[in-house]
Amino acid sequence: MSYLYYPGCCCSMKASGKAYEESLMAVLKKLGVTLEELKDWNCCGATMYMAIDQMQAFGMASRNLALAEQQCPNKTPELMAPCSACYVVMNKTKHFIEDYKEQVGTPIRNALKEAGFTYTGKTKVRHPLDILVNDIGLDKIRQHVKKPLKGLKVASYYGCLLVRPYSEFDDVHYPRSMDNLMEALGASSLEWPLKTRCCGGSMTGTVEDAGLRLSYIILNEAERRGADVVVTACPFCQTNLECFQQRIQRKSKGGISDLPILFFTQLVGYAMGIPERELGFHRLFVPFHFSPKQVVTEGVE
Amino acid sequence: MQQETPKQIRFVGKLDPDFVQKMWRGWKKVKFEEEMDPQFAEKVASYPGCNTLFDCIQCGTCSGICPMGSFMEYAPRKIVGMIRAGFKGEVLTSYTTWLCASCYACTVECPKNIKITDIMYALKQLAIKEHMHPRRLPIPVLARQFFEIVKKFGRNNEGKVVINMYFRTNPLLPLRNLIMGIKLYLRGRIAFTQDKIQNIPQLTKILNTVKM
Amino acid sequence: MKDQHVHHFEHTDVKVGVYVCHCGINIASKVNVHEVVEFAKNLPNVTVATEYKFMCSDAGQDIIVQDIRSGKVNRVIVASCSPLMHEITFRNATQHGGINPYFFQMANIREHVSWVTAEKEDATVKAKALVAAAVHRVSKHTSLEKKYFPVNPNVLVVGGGIAGIQAALTIANAGKKVYLVEREPTIGGHMAKFDKTFPTLDCAACILTPKMSQVRSHPNITLWTYAEVENVSGYVGNFTVQVKHKKRYINADTCIGCKACVDACIGPENIPDEFNEGLSYRKPVYMPFPQATPSVVIIDENSCYHFTKGGCPPDFSSKNGHLSPQLQSLLRRANECFELRDFQETLKLTKEILKSSPEHQETLFLHAQTLYQLGMINEATEVMRNVMVKERCVAACPKGSVDLYQTEAISEIQVGAIIIATGFKTFQGERTTQYGYKRYPNVFTSLEIERLVNASGPTGGEIVLRDGKTKPKSVAILHCVGSRDLHSNRYCSRVCCMYSLKLAHLIKERTGAEVYNFYIDMRTPGKGYEEFYEKLCHENVHFIRGRAAEVTDWVLSKAELGKLVVRAEDTLLGMVRRVPVDMVVLSVGLEPQTDAEEVRRKFNISCSKEGWFLERHPKLAPVNTFTDGIFLAGACQGPKDIPDTVAQAGAAAAEALALIDIGYVEMEPNTAFITEENCSGCRICVALCPYTAITTDPVKLISVVNPALCKGCGTCVAACPSGAAQQNLFTDEQIFEEIEGVLEYV
């Protein structure tokens, strides 16, 4: 199995989602998946860009799709975008080019042609979660588990953009794929209703209180239901829920206590026995500890 | 907005001038048809995916599901209603569109498949085009910074964008967030060097061709 | 009846009258009518060309009649609307004038011209071409006669809900024989599940069960339950229908409904009861509900031990434990050997059993033994079953009605008319995942609540949560679940607002709970409906105008702990509300039956996009289908409440009666015919005919069209390689002339 890899600005080696990239690489390597980075990729044109000029945003995203076609001329390029925002924007671009031929499709195709591309729309944009669950399969992952996470209560937090509105691999209201993945690792997954509720996204940087409030709701509910850890699939969510945790604690007057927020790939790698250093655990604000002792106390209770 | 001045209204008997003034202001709650922009809805609908706004039955699902709804002055349902009625000024100057976190909850839930998130994007673009966006709100500033940097280099730099935004809105904020910044830096999660793509002319060409 | 093979050369002295209609401004605003008239005057054979505001009016028709009577014309062209609309009107006028009605031809200059053409000039040009074509064509028309066929006076009603019951009773009361076929084990349909009906709140059972027993006892009604229509052939007035009687494993004619078998059954008792929407459990043999009609039990072959395990297991329960442990183990072992087909061992064990328990049927055993020795293994097996494990229901039945070896049977009946009343199904709540049906136990569908409210339901009328005992203190009713939603169904289901109000009233009355209605628009059009809504407003029921965004259980305040929270915008107040409740009721919409498409094909009728059966005209022929002799009643045609369903059932019955009472059907003469001398007997047409109207003459070896079955579709005419197949009103000559008319002008 091989995929094209689109790091995106937030996941790239320099930004806040660094641990995501490290753990993703380590896990896929272990599972025998080869990745090839998309050559000369550019920003996906995510939310902020779209607010200023939507057509240019589509133009940016479509350049990546066209680059993928150029790089894989003989097969269907499968472009792995680990960031939910990149994932949704590139999928949205694909849909808009098809659905609104006159308004979007023709101008974008023309622009790409002028820049020397041929765009056929065959590039598939995939999310690592989709790949892990549906391409690699839970059975294979189960075989690789060295340290089963028995007794660990995991709240799977998909984030708003992963399963809606353009992805097709899971239910939009109550997705299950990440829960199934966590259960394959031996953890017990928490049934909770906020799986796809917005974490506040970019709001935390601008209108801070609004953003923090949304994060607080998610952290509070996860904690109330006894989660040991929240796993997420989006660098935005991870930053929001983790880096701002202290501030949320202050605002909510101690309403929540420390809760580790991990990328789902970190936990997969952890269960597979990959060293913590390679998974970027040292980059966490709230450290994650898992000891089998937890299992014993759970059992006694 | 053309309205009569208070002097032209005569009250019978003596009334407290303050009260008169208040009653006068009450008139602002009445919306005159000549203040509307009858073409506004069509203009918004001309953006890709936005003509679905005419399907709205005002059921309120979008406002009910919106996680940011409680911070908005007009909830998404109202915005759609106001677009259709032609409340151009109110819609384009409101914070609402800028508070949309674009989580697509409304788009997914809408029973009439209205792409509300895309309508919000259309409104943001219109507001900027018509220079009507709220001036002191940091979100448009951040968006603008993001836009400029990405357009120039092809890639984003979180650190740079955020710091630029802080200096343009509230220069005291960076101080407040200094500790967080240091923490991020120590963990290798922030960078200040600008990453850029090789073929910038190609990207510029695409962007200039599709300019709206 | 005129011989179709003879052509009458009556057009030697053709005098054509052309009448152009303004249709108010429908035509005149786009077509220059005067120009068309002037143009028509110069066409060959035209003696009269004139225009009129409304040709279809009495005065308009009178112009035609007078012109024919005064000898000015003997062929008539009306250039107006679609033939679907007024062809019959003008044919009648033509006949009234004194000539054959088929000397008339219509030119459609409204639907085909004025309504669809943008430019006035273009419209006028096209209108002229169509008029020219009609003028050319009509000169080749021949005089034709309608055909008449006798009608079978029996009627088939498909579906035994309130629609089917009402239609069947109306027709039976008129003295006609009715076959009522219902696929469930009992008639009554959805209405039998309800407790009260809106807006009068009278008890559904009180008004429905008398009708059900009338159906049962009516001398003119043959009631077949647990039966399905298998095949329909024939045509209006003469349908042949095959009805399949499914395996009920009970002889419905002798069963008296004493339920001795139900008491005796030792089968699993945990099968969800379909009638109670799975809120209670039943045995494999059961009576759907106490007032089931006919009062006959049914055996469910998916759970009965006879079918799943090969027979009732020996009764080891202490309840009737007259068997010694030793005998029990013997029986068990014998049973196992029998399953393994080890008959030698089984026989040995059976002998031992018989030794210790002589009351077992020894003779049967000996019989089996003999059969076995003769090598008749299958027969031996059959008998052995009776020795080994006697089914409890068979033993308990006083009338010998249990027949576990029942086979499917087919009845063939002849009917003149068919009424389809197959009803609807409710929307599956789990399809709207945001409301958490099946994820949160205390989210119910409205049909489940109907059963809970019902005095003869699983809780005896107590409204309780899924745990079976707690009364809810607050209930949210969510309207429009599966309706007005592009993710499920676009249409409004019509009944949900009213039944939600009814349920709100009943819940309030029975539990005193706070009731919240979340609605998009309150739709209460109907006699007494708005008054019912007013009544509810006075009962302190909360109405929140806003579609519920989600049902969830995340908590923001103490009061919400352990409750379900409904989040919605109160659009009238412009505020988002979080309402914590104990119970959520999803007012699910109505959907076409799952197999509507199959039924549609069986009866050769049409469906709308959503799957509802299509009426011939939404206003003027609401119970007719596009297939003559087949009528619609009730919710199979579209969502409907009980009053509307009953009214429509009456209308369908009246239409069916009108058809069978006159005794014959009239058929248009535009059928196909075979010119004998041209037919080579290749039989291409026989295979192609969609109405099986063409057969091969065994003597002459040529094709023959049965005019009673022919619908005039023209398939055979187009397919015939030798041009032997022709169609009245569409002969080659007429069509070529028509084409020539258009081309000549253009």
Side-chain angles (χ1 to χ4, degrees), chain C residues 311-331:
Chain C
C312 283
D315 195 348
F316 303 124
S317 64
S318 58
K319 198 166 61 185
N320 345 314
H322 54 273
L323 296 176
S324 66
Q326 190 201 356
L327 188 58
Q328 283 178 16
S329 73
L330 273 174
L331 270 169

Side-chain angles (χ1 to χ4, degrees), chain A residues 58-301:
Chain A
F58 288 143
M60 300 207 94
S62 62
R63 180 173 176 265
N64 289 326
L65 299 173
L67 278 173
E69 282 183 33
Q70 214 172 43
Q71 205 165 333
C72 286
N74 302 323
K75 59 171 191 167
T76 309
E78 297 205 51
L79 189 59
M80 182 178 82
C83 167
S84 299
C86 305
Y87 176 69
V88 89
V89 168
M90 288 199 280
N91 264 325
K92 180 176 173 175
T93 304
K94 268 185 71 177
H95 273 88
F96 269 59
I97 289 176
E98 287 309 313
D99 296 350
Y100 306 101
K101 286 206 169 66
E102 251 172 61
Q103 288 163 293
V104 184
T106 318
I108 292 289
R109 277 170 203 270
N110 287 343
L112 287 174
K113 201 185 252 172
E114 279 195 26
F117 288 112
T118 47
Y119 175 84
T120 59
K122 64 177 181 176
T123 306
K124 273 190 190 157
V125 184
R126 304 285 303 273
H127 191 273
L129 179 64
D130 181 17
I131 290 172
L132 278 179
V133 174
N134 296 321
D135 286 11
I136 295 168
L138 295 178
D139 288 335
K140 191 166 174 194
I141 291 169
R142 251 181 233 120
Q143 286 163 16
H144 278 82
V145 171
K146 298 258 166 55
K147 285 196 276 181
L149 304 172
K150 225 160 181 58
L152 188 70
K153 269 189 165 176
V154 182
S156 300
Y157 175 64
Y158 297 72
C160 53
L161 295 178
L162 180 53
V163 289
R164 66 192 178 205
Y166 297 108
S167 62
E168 278 145 12
F169 69 93
D170 216 334
D171 184 73
V172 291
H173 296 115
Y174 206 73
R176 284 286 320 167
S177 47
M178 206 196 291
D179 296 74
N180 294 341
L181 179 62
M182 290 303 135
E183 275 161 17
L185 303 179
S188 62
S189 96
L190 194 74
E191 290 301 326
W192 68 318
L194 298 182
K195 288 175 178 184
T196 63
R197 199 186 143 89
C198 175
C199 67
S202 50
M203 294 297 146
T204 321
T206 46
V207 279
E208 195 179 289
D209 283 2
L212 293 186
R213 172 77 183 163
L214 299 199
S215 295
Y216 164 73
I217 288 172
I218 289 160
L219 291 171
N220 182 39
E221 189 65 19
E223 192 186 325
R224 194 179 74 80
R225 286 168 188 259
D228 297 324
V229 57
V230 175
V231 288
T232 166
C234 171
F236 261 119
C237 305
Q238 203 274 344
T239 311
N240 257 354
L241 295 179
E242 193 198 30
C243 303
F244 290 90
Q245 231 175 72
Q246 270 192 351
R247 231 173 259 188
I248 297 168
Q249 283 167 356
R250 268 206 304 279
K251 288 250 180 218
S252 64
K253 302 204 175 73
I256 52 165
S257 49
D258 283 355
L259 193 60
I261 316 291
L262 298 185
F263 289 108
F264 73 104
T265 43
Q266 285 181 297
L267 212 50
V268 174
Y270 186 87
M272 284 179 177
I274 300 171
E276 289 184 22
R277 186 86 198 167
E278 286 175 36
L279 297 170
F281 275 69
H282 58 290
R283 301 187 193 280
L284 295 174
F285 275 46
V286 183
F288 168 70
H289 298 292
F290 171 68
S291 52
K293 211 173 109 196
Q294 226 165 342
V295 187
V296 180
T297 48
E298 290 270 323
V300 171
E301 277 167 8

Side-chain angles (χ1 to χ4, degrees), chain B residues 55 57-67 69-70 75-78 106-114, chain C residues 434-435 483-487 490 519-521 545-550 567-576:
Chain B
D55 293 334
I57 55 169
Q58 293 284 308
C59 68
T61 309
C62 44
S63 309
I65 202 73
C66 182
S70 43
R77 171 191 62 84
K78 266 195 179 169
C106 45
T107 305
V108 169
E109 298 295 338
C110 177
K112 298 291 172 192
N113 281 348
I114 302 173
Chain C
Q434 68 267 40
Y435 297 148
S483 309
R484 306 186 71 192
D485 181 353
L486 294 183
H487 302 122
R490 180 179 220 133
Y519 68 98
I520 306 179
D521 295 301
R545 194 210 168 271
R547 182 174 174 271
E550 65 174 344
R567 291 208 310 150
E569 189 198 11
D570 191 329
T571 59
L572 297 179
L573 307 180
M575 253 181 255
V576 174

Side-chain angles (χ1 to χ4, degrees), chain C residues 110-169:
Chain C
R110 194 178 74 175
E111 281 85 341
H112 285 181
V113 179
S114 70
W115 280 357
V116 292
T117 314
E119 294 300 323
K120 213 166 168 177
E121 286 86 44
D122 296 346
T124 309
V125 168
K126 193 174 173 190
K128 284 179 187 173
L130 291 182
V131 169
V135 169
H136 273 259
R137 181 192 219 276
V138 83
S139 66
K140 303 292 178 202
H141 276 204
T142 54
S143 115
L144 297 165
E145 296 297 334
K146 280 184 181 166
K147 303 183 194 76
Y148 298 93
F149 298 97
V151 166
N152 184 309
N154 300 338
V155 179
L156 167 68
V157 177
V158 187
I162 180 62
I165 291 173
Q166 179 73 18
L169 283 174

Side-chain angles (χ1 to χ4, degrees), chain C residues 659-723:
Chain C
L659 170 69
I660 58 178
D661 211 45
I662 199 158
Y664 62 86
V665 277
E666 227 176 53
M667 289 239 186
E668 285 298 317
N670 61 339
T671 49
F673 58 90
I674 307 286
T675 326
E676 273 188 27
E677 55 274 25
N678 290 345
C679 179
S680 65
C682 70
R683 301 186 191 186
I684 288 174
C685 54
V686 179
L688 280 177
C689 179
Y691 305 100
T692 57
I694 309 181
T695 48
T696 308
D697 185 323
V699 183
K700 296 181 186 165
L701 292 175
I702 56 163
S703 296
V704 181
V705 179
N706 178 353
L709 290 177
C710 178
K711 293 269 186 292
C713 69
T715 308
C716 54
V717 182
C720 182
S722 59

Side-chain angles (χ1 to χ4, degrees), chain C residues 185-201:
Chain C
T186 169
I187 57 170
H190 280 97
M191 191 179 167
K193 296 185 180 183
F194 304 157
D195 182 45
K196 297 275 166 65
T197 54
F198 62 78
T200 45
L201 291 175

